[in-house]
C-alpha cells in the first residue's frame, strides 16, 4: 500500500458526507474499498493519529478527518501527542 490510498480516504472523509457516514458505521468496508491494509488499517480503525502522522500521513488531512469523524478537539490533540483520552 502506498500513502496515496490513505490520503485519498482522508480526503474523501473530509469532503464526502457519504464516505464519512459509511466509515462511522462500517470502517472495515470503507478501508477495503480504499485498499488500506496493514498497520495503516489498524491505525485508522483506532484513530491513532500519532502513528499515522509519524508515518508521513498529511497532518492537514488527519486534522480535518478527525473533525468530520466528530473527534473532540482536545481528544484529537491528546491522540496526536500519543495520549489516548477516549
Amino acid at each position: 500500500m502506498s500513502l496515496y490510498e490513505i490520503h485519498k480516504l482522508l480526503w474523501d472523509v473530509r469532503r464526502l458526507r457519504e464516505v464519512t457516514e459509511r466509515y462511522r458505521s462500517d470502517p472495515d468496508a470503507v478501508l477495503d474499498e480504499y485498499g488500506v491494509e496493514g498497520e495503516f488499517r489498524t491505525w485508522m480503525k483506532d484513530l491513532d493519529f500519532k502513528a499515522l502522522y509519524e508515518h508521513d500521513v498529511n497532518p492537514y488531512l488527519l486534522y480535518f478527518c478527525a473533525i468530520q469523524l466528530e473527534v473532540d478537539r482536545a481528544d484529537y490533540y491528546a491522540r496526536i501527542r500519543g495520549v489516548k483520552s477516549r
Side-chain angles (χ1 to χ4, degrees):
M1 187 199 95
S2 70
L3 281 175
Y4 175 80
E5 288 85 0
I6 195 79
H7 284 150
K8 174 77 171 132
L9 169 60
L10 294 173
W11 178 257
D12 287 351
V13 165
R14 179 186 178 276
R15 72 180 186 91
L16 300 172
R17 182 171 212 77
E18 164 213 324
V19 174
T20 305
E21 291 171 2
R22 285 190 305 116
Y23 187 83
R24 282 190 204 132
S25 65
D26 189 2
D28 284 311
V30 176
L31 292 167
D32 287 344
E33 178 183 330
Y34 282 81
V36 178
E37 302 171 341
E39 292 176 317
F40 284 94
R41 182 183 193 93
T42 301
W43 297 329
M44 271 303 298
K45 285 182 71 174
D46 293 343
L47 297 178
D48 187 342
F49 298 117
K50 180 178 177 31
L52 290 162
Y53 174 78
E54 288 175 343
H55 288 85
D56 300 323
V57 174
N58 183 298
Y60 172 84
L61 294 176
L62 284 175
Y63 180 72
F64 284 100
C65 174
I67 289 172
Q68 292 306 115
L69 294 176
E70 299 179 353
V71 175
D72 177 77
R73 182 179 286 178
D75 188 24
Y76 171 79
Y77 288 122
R79 290 176 191 219
I80 204 78
R81 288 190 310 270
V83 178
K84 290 190 179 182
S85 66
R86 272 198 223 184

